[in-house]
Amino acid sequence: MPRALWTAWVWAVISAFTEGASDQASSLSCDPTGVCDGHSRSLNSIPSGLTAGVKSLDLSDNEITYVGNRDLQRCVNLKTLRLGANEIHTVEEDSFFHLRNLEYLDLSYNRLSNLSSSWFRSLYVLKFLNLLGNLYKTLGETSLFSHLPNLRTLKVGNSNSFTQIHEKDFTGLTFLEELEISAQNLQLYVPKSLKSIQNISHLILHLKQPVLLLDILIDIESPLNYLELRDTILHTFYFSEASISEFNTSVKKLTFKNGQFPDDSLVEVVNWFNYVLGILEVEFDDCTHDGVGDFTALTLNRIRYLGNVETLTIRKLHIPQFFLFYDLSSIYPLTGKVKRVTIENSKVFLVPCLLSQHLKSLEYLDLSENLMSEETLKNSACEHAWPFLQTLVLRQNRLKSLEKTGELLLTLKNLNNLDISKNNFLSMPETCQWPGKMKQLNLSSTRIHSLTQCLPQTLEILDVSNNNLDSFSLILPQLKELYISRNKLKTLPDASFLPVLSVMRISGNIINTFSKEQLDSFPQLKALEAGGNNFICSCDFLSFAQGQQALARVLVDWPDGYRCDAPSHVRGQRVQDARLSLSECHRAAVVSAVCCALFLLLLLTGVLCHRFHGLWYMKMMWAWLQAKRKPRKAPRRDLCYDAFVSYSEQDSYWVENLMVQELEHFNPPLKLCLHKRDFVPGKWIIDNIIDSIEKSRKTIFVLSESFVRSEWCKYELDFSHFRLFDENNDAAILILLEPIDKKAIPQRFCKLRKIMNTRTYLEWPTDETHREAFWLNLRAAIRS
């Protein structure tokens, strides 16, 4: 079966199991890679239906009490099994028999009172085993771990009932690297119990009393890199030169965690440093000193140094009787060879000047999370103090003045790395004094809101993260690394200010874009972290960010750290995945295309208007709007004319010399309205036409070829066509002055064409004998 199909099948089986099994099983969540999480789900048994697709199973922090032979038999590919912090009291003999690929097994903090070697007989590749915190008193009657040749880390014991270690207990663990034994109440240690372990490098011992400590260490023949003593009360710690004569182990690092010791026991510990070969680093973590600092015995024993110790670390040291402490001058001479000192979170407010002067080899000093202020720092960094100090860490103390702090440290001629982060400086003065070799400065989380020339020009690394900075405009010609994350910067710093910058971390600001030109302006930039900003995903920015394959080699948090904040429809998307529409990215082209389309539309509209007389319809609409403002029909008393005559200028002779003579000079006379004579001067011609038609009882159209071609006749005919014909009255009188082809009448005058086809019109006779009848009929039509 192909690998992809196999994975899909496994995932389908797991999904079916998680959806269709019991309520307990439904709380087990698995991903497509076979990692199943069921911790803290209140399970009281191992879920049924587990398959070969499960590779990692976490069932810790539940209420499981029993592991049966069939619970895990199908999990043949399982590599990690976490069953810690349950209520398991029984594990059947073959529960883990089918787990031949298991590398990590955690059975810690259950209720196992007996351990069986049969559990582990098929776990050949197991590398990690944790059996801490159970109820067993011993590690079994036979060798428990003889079937685990590849085990590298083992954790055994408990804080109460585990009291004996026998010679057989660790047989077969030839290549064990890390061993943790919790035996606070250890009463019996059989010699040579740890002799079989050849390569152990990290030994962790939870011993309440150190009585059997030397017996255990004598059996460790291999070089021990790291020895850790936890929860040990050193009130009875004592050894002689004779008792350690068999001790051949070389310990490089020694840690006391959660230990307690009085003054005299501390003297024994210091004496131990001079006998145990190779101790280079000593650490006291969360320890309590039950004394008053009476170390006179050190002087009496003529102990001059802390052995070969170069690194001393003290974290969370508790001194209940601190205010009764003696003068510590008796221990000052012991510190001459120490190179690295860390005293963290221990309420230190002063390092006496004399002690500082004795620390002649000190290169690194960390006083983080203490109570140091400028007043006490002045005494600590006195003349000739820490002559070779290169790194000083004063993070989270009580420093307030950046100017004074720099001035106090001028005595440290070799200082090149200073960490004064998490102090409340608030502001930065314009100028400061610093040691001449300063190369690294950490001012993160100091609440400063601007940077000034106070910073030393020799800096190569500067950290001003998590402040209130909104700009960076300092010239630092030697700066190679700049850490300025979590501020309020809107753009990248100017590259001309930082000519040799190679690393910049500027994430978590309010930067909305950057360009290829900006990045190229940093000629030596190798790493840029700029994620977590409010990026506006414009077309230019997306084109740059998505089109530069080499960008991923520079942006260390690409692509997950880079998210769009705008436009709104891509907000939250990764910059790498965001896509904008054509109209957003080619606005000018779209506008040009729209303009061209509008132009073509207008052109087409013009052609269509010309072809289908659209202009005429517009004129008619205007005339209609004008007419709508007037009464539909003028009252009879407002009629001034018997007829309005519409005619062409070429037909004016006929109208003015014949028609006027026959109608106005006849008895009784008729009053005609002629545009030449009766239109009001200065009035808009359209209004004149409309008013004249409105004030006339009839409208006479003198039709001829010239009439059809006349523009103003068209206006008069237009309005009559709309106003008179639409009212379905007989106000229009048509006189055909000469024969006209009906096809010459414009198509838009459809009603006129219809009237000429359906109604009788007067035709000017060519025979003079018929003209008297013509005038008679015309007079009758006007008066009708």
Side-chain angles (χ1 to χ4, degrees):
M1 181 182 293
R3 184 179 183 88
L5 293 177
W6 167 254
T7 303
W9 177 80
V10 168
W11 174 234
V13 171
I14 294 175
S15 299
F17 155 70
T18 57
E19 293 175 4
S22 64
D23 292 339
Q24 292 186 23
S26 64
S27 63
L28 186 67
S29 58
C30 300
D31 67 17
T33 63
V35 177
C36 295
D37 182 13
H39 82 283
S40 301
R41 307 291 176 94
S42 299
L43 302 175
N44 52 38
S45 64
I46 294 178
S48 60
L50 297 173
T51 69
V54 180
K55 295 182 179 180
S56 176
L57 180 60
D58 186 354
L59 297 174
S60 57
D61 295 298
N62 283 292
E63 300 171 5
I64 299 171
T65 59
Y66 181 86
V67 182
N69 289 335
R70 297 190 176 186
D71 288 341
L72 301 167
Q73 64 178 353
R74 291 187 178 183
C75 301
V76 294
N77 294 310
L78 191 65
K79 292 186 176 182
T80 300
L81 177 59
R82 302 177 188 272
L83 291 170
N86 278 279
E87 300 290 333
I88 299 173
H89 54 75
T90 302
V91 178
E92 291 191 355
E93 295 293 312
D94 295 329
S95 295
F96 307 133
F97 180 77
H98 299 281
L99 310 183
R100 300 181 184 275
N101 293 307
L102 193 66
E103 298 179 357
Y104 186 105
L105 176 60
D106 185 357
L107 291 168
S108 62
Y109 300 101
N110 282 285
R111 304 185 63 81
L112 297 171
S113 56
N114 294 291
L115 304 177
S116 173
S117 61
S118 62
W119 298 347
F120 313 121
R121 68 176 183 270
S122 65
L123 306 183
Y124 305 115
V125 299
L126 192 68
K127 297 179 180 179
F128 179 97
L129 176 60
N130 189 350
L131 297 170
L132 286 172
N134 282 280
L135 302 179
Y136 53 83
K137 296 181 180 179
T138 65
L139 295 179
E141 297 296 328
T142 60
S143 178
L144 189 63
F145 311 114
S146 58
H147 301 293
L148 303 175
N150 291 297
L151 196 65
R152 297 294 183 268
T153 300
L154 174 63
K155 300 175 183 290
V156 297
N158 56 64
S159 59
N160 296 312
S161 59
F162 188 70
T163 58
Q164 300 179 10
I165 297 177
H166 296 275
E167 186 173 355
K168 62 172 176 53
D169 288 346
F170 300 101
T171 302
L173 298 178
T174 306
F175 301 104
L176 194 68
E177 297 174 355
E178 179 180 338
L179 174 62
E180 180 174 352
I181 302 175
S182 178
Q184 280 89 336
N185 296 320
L186 186 65
Q187 298 174 6
L188 173 65
Y189 175 81
V190 177
K192 299 183 180 180
S193 295
L194 295 178
K195 273 222 182 267
S196 61
I197 305 176
Q198 299 177 2
N199 296 314
I200 187 168
S201 60
H202 186 186
L203 178 60
I204 304 171
L205 298 174
H206 299 253
L207 297 175
K208 189 172 184 179
Q209 301 295 335
V211 178
L212 298 173
L213 176 61
L214 290 180
D215 294 335
I216 295 174
L217 295 180
I218 286 172
D219 284 349
I220 305 296
E221 295 185 347
S222 61
L224 190 61
N225 292 330
Y226 191 5
L227 174 60
E228 193 171 344
L229 299 178
R230 297 184 181 180
D231 311 312
T232 305
I233 300 175
L234 296 170
H235 289 190
T236 58
F237 183 68
Y238 175 78
F239 69 93
S240 63
E241 188 173 347
S243 66
I244 203 171
S245 59
E246 300 181 25
F247 185 77
N248 297 319
T249 301
S250 175
V251 179
K252 293 182 179 180
K253 181 178 180 179
L254 175 61
T255 293
F256 297 91
K257 189 169 185 177
N258 195 27
Q260 298 180 30
F261 46 87
D263 292 340
D264 53 352
S265 294
L266 185 59
V267 173
E268 290 297 319
V269 171
V270 174
N271 196 23
W272 190 26
F273 298 161
N274 286 271
Y275 286 99
V276 179
L277 301 176
I279 294 184
L280 300 176
E281 182 176 352
V282 177
E283 180 177 345
F284 297 90
D285 190 356
D286 200 12
C287 292
T288 300
H289 183 100
D290 293 326
V292 293
D294 183 7
F295 304 128
T296 54
L298 293 172
T299 306
L300 295 176
N301 291 340
R302 297 181 181 180
I303 298 175
R304 301 181 61 183
Y305 297 106
L306 297 175
N308 295 317
V309 174
E310 295 182 349
T311 302
L312 175 63
T313 302
I314 300 174
R315 293 190 179 92
K316 298 178 67 175
L317 178 63
H318 308 279
I319 307 177
Q321 303 180 71
F322 173 76
F323 293 104
L324 298 177
F325 245 51
Y326 288 20
D327 181 3
L328 300 179
S329 59
S330 57
I331 68 170
Y332 293 173
L334 304 179
T335 62
K337 291 184 178 181
V338 179
K339 294 182 178 180
R340 299 173 62 87
V341 173
T342 297
I343 306 177
E344 183 179 304
N345 195 13
S346 299
K347 299 182 180 180
V348 174
F349 61 87
L350 173 68
V351 179
C353 176
L354 189 58
L355 175 57
S356 298
Q357 291 173 343
H358 274 84
L359 290 166
K360 296 180 180 179
S361 300
L362 192 65
E363 298 175 357
Y364 178 95
L365 176 59
D366 185 349
L367 297 173
S368 299
E369 301 180 47
N370 284 293
L371 307 175
M372 297 291 293
S373 64
E374 285 86 358
E375 289 73 18
T376 57
L377 183 61
K378 182 178 181 180
N379 186 279
S380 302
C382 59
E383 195 70 28
H384 306 301
W386 310 320
F388 293 101
L389 188 67
Q390 298 178 18
T391 301
L392 176 60
V393 181
L394 294 171
R395 181 178 62 252
Q396 198 169 336
N397 276 270
R398 296 188 175 181
L399 303 175
K400 295 181 179 179
S401 172
L402 195 60
E403 181 179 12
K404 193 171 183 180
T405 299
E407 186 177 341
L408 293 174
L409 299 178
L410 289 174
T411 56
L412 308 179
K413 306 299 182 183
N414 291 299
L415 186 68
N416 59 52
N417 185 354
L418 176 62
D419 184 348
I420 47 178
S421 60
K422 295 188 177 181
N423 285 282
N424 292 328
F425 292 118
L426 298 180
S427 62
M428 180 179 293
E430 290 299 323
T431 58
C432 300
Q433 292 179 292
W434 300 97
K437 296 183 179 180
M438 280 281 293
K439 295 186 180 299
Q440 301 182 40
L441 179 60
N442 190 339
L443 286 170
S444 61
S445 303
T446 54
R447 301 172 65 184
I448 55 177
H449 53 77
S450 63
L451 300 177
T452 69
Q453 295 299 326
C454 169
L455 298 180
Q457 294 289 297
T458 56
L459 285 181
E460 295 182 0
I461 300 175
L462 173 62
D463 189 345
V464 287
S465 303
N466 196 30
N467 283 296
N468 297 314
L469 304 175
D470 57 12
S471 64
F472 186 96
S473 56
L474 285 181
I475 299 177
L476 296 173
Q478 300 181 38
L479 195 68
K480 297 178 180 178
E481 299 181 19
L482 174 61
Y483 302 90
I484 196 168
S485 300
R486 300 185 303 282
N487 280 282
K488 299 178 181 179
L489 272 69
K490 297 180 180 179
T491 184
L492 297 181
D494 192 327
S496 62
F497 298 155
L498 309 167
V500 297
L501 192 70
S502 60
V503 175
M504 178 164 56
R505 303 193 185 277
I506 196 168
S507 59
N509 281 272
I510 54 176
I511 296 172
N512 53 44
T513 189
F514 57 87
S515 64
K516 182 179 185 299
E517 290 72 21
Q518 284 180 296
L519 294 187
D520 290 344
S521 64
F522 294 94
Q524 299 187 35
L525 189 64
K526 297 178 180 178
L528 172 64
E529 181 182 293
N533 281 286
N534 303 329
F535 290 111
I536 297 177
C537 290
S538 63
C539 301
D540 291 340
F541 180 66
L542 291 181
S543 176
F544 155 64
Q546 297 173 358
Q548 297 288 326
Q549 298 297 329
L551 199 61
R553 294 195 294 267
V554 177
L555 300 179
V556 296
D557 51 347
W558 176 268
D560 292 334
Y562 296 77
R563 304 269 173 174
C564 295
D565 187 62
S568 58
H569 63 87
V570 295
R571 181 172 296 151
Q573 294 185 23
R574 298 192 307 179
V575 172
Q576 185 185 49
D577 303 328
R579 296 293 183 271
L580 298 181
S581 65
L582 181 66
S583 61
E584 292 174 294
C585 289
H586 302 282
R587 196 176 302 274
V590 171
V591 170
S592 299
V594 170
C595 290
C596 290
L598 288 175
F599 175 76
L600 292 175
L601 181 61
L602 290 173
L603 185 61
L604 179 61
T605 302
V607 172
L608 292 175
C609 285
H610 179 74
R611 175 65 180 84
F612 296 103
H613 311 290
L615 187 60
W616 179 84
Y617 288 106
M618 292 175 63
K619 293 175 182 178
M620 286 295 295
M621 181 60 68
W622 175 250
W624 179 81
L625 291 175
Q626 291 292 321
K628 287 292 286 183
R629 294 184 301 175
K630 300 177 181 294
R632 294 285 293 174
K633 190 169 183 180
R636 192 166 189 86
R637 64 178 179 272
D638 292 337
L639 295 177
C640 301
Y641 305 101
D642 291 302
F644 170 73
V645 183
S646 176
Y647 59 95
S648 169
E649 186 64 29
Q650 280 74 18
D651 301 324
S652 61
Y653 175 82
W654 185 88
V655 172
E656 295 169 3
N657 291 291
L658 294 180
M659 177 184 282
V660 172
Q661 292 296 325
E662 289 293 335
L663 298 181
E664 288 193 343
H665 295 95
F666 189 78
N667 189 20
L670 296 173
K671 188 174 182 180
L672 301 179
C673 180
L674 305 179
H675 65 267
K676 283 186 178 182
R677 184 184 66 187
D678 299 309
F679 277 10
V680 178
K683 192 174 184 179
W684 191 26
I685 191 169
I686 296 295
D687 287 341
N688 268 316
I689 294 173
I690 293 174
D691 288 345
S692 297
I693 292 176
E694 292 287 349
K695 292 180 180 181
S696 301
R697 294 177 60 252
K698 301 287 184 178
T699 301
I700 300 173
F701 294 99
V702 181
L703 305 179
S704 66
E705 293 288 348
S706 300
F707 181 94
V708 173
R709 292 192 298 269
S710 172
E711 186 67 25
W712 292 114
C713 290
K714 288 181 183 179
Y715 277 119
E716 295 163 357
L717 190 58
D718 288 346
F719 182 73
S720 296
H721 175 272
F722 179 81
R723 175 74 173 177
L724 303 175
F725 296 163
D726 277 2
E727 291 178 358
N728 296 318
N729 56 32
D730 297 326
I733 300 173
L734 304 182
I735 297 176
L736 193 60
L737 194 60
E738 60 185 5
I740 300 177
D741 186 359
K742 291 181 181 179
K743 295 181 180 179
I745 300 176
Q747 293 290 333
R748 60 183 178 274
F749 299 139
C750 54
K751 287 194 175 183
L752 175 61
R753 293 162 61 91
K754 183 178 181 181
I755 290 173
M756 292 185 68
N757 288 329
T758 59
R759 294 188 184 183
T760 303
Y761 50 85
L762 298 176
E763 189 172 356
W764 176 248
T766 55
D767 188 355
E768 292 186 3
T769 60
H770 296 148
R771 290 179 182 176
E772 185 63 32
F774 169 82
W775 296 116
L776 183 62
N777 291 332
L778 179 58
R779 294 189 193 98
I782 294 173
R783 289 194 175 97
S784 63

